[in-house]
Amino acid sequence: MAVYVYRCAEHGLLDVAAPIGTAPDTSPCPHCDSAAPRVFTPPGLSLGSASHRALLDRTESTADTPAVVSRPPSRGRPPTAPHNPALARLPRP
Ligand SMILES: [Zn+2]
């Protein structure tokens, strides 16, 4: 399905969903039932889900304004690997 845009002279733009390639030249306005001619618009491309778009926005924003480090990392304990019970059964040296 694609969304096609029609313009009623009295009621403005109308969105009509129809299978791709089957859009008629005019569509009846749901308010006044007059023939509204089709308006050619850029295709409404989708970039996926909202989380995918947010990821793309964050990735794009780091190109312009990357995160700046203001100080070196603190010297605490080095990070340790999470405990894995399978490793506890291995022989010790
Ligand atoms: Zn109308």
Side-chain angles (χ1 to χ4, degrees):
M1 292 293 257
V3 175
Y4 298 97
V5 180
Y6 294 87
R7 183 186 308 273
C8 173
E10 189 174 331
H11 297 104
L13 297 177
L14 315 166
D15 290 339
V16 176
I20 292 176
T22 62
D25 291 337
T26 61
S27 177
C29 174
H31 304 290
C32 62
D33 209 30
S34 66
R38 183 174 172 195
V39 178
F40 289 91
T41 58
L45 300 177
S46 173
L47 295 176
S49 66
S51 61
H52 185 229
R53 287 193 307 271
L55 173 64
L56 291 177
D57 290 344
R58 283 195 308 272
T59 302
E60 189 174 313
S61 69
T62 59
D64 297 333
T65 56
V68 177
V69 177
S70 60
R71 61 182 173 86
S74 63
R75 292 184 179 248
R77 283 180 40 195
T80 58
H83 178 69
N84 186 343
L87 297 179
R89 292 186 299 234
L90 292 176
R92 299 288 174 204

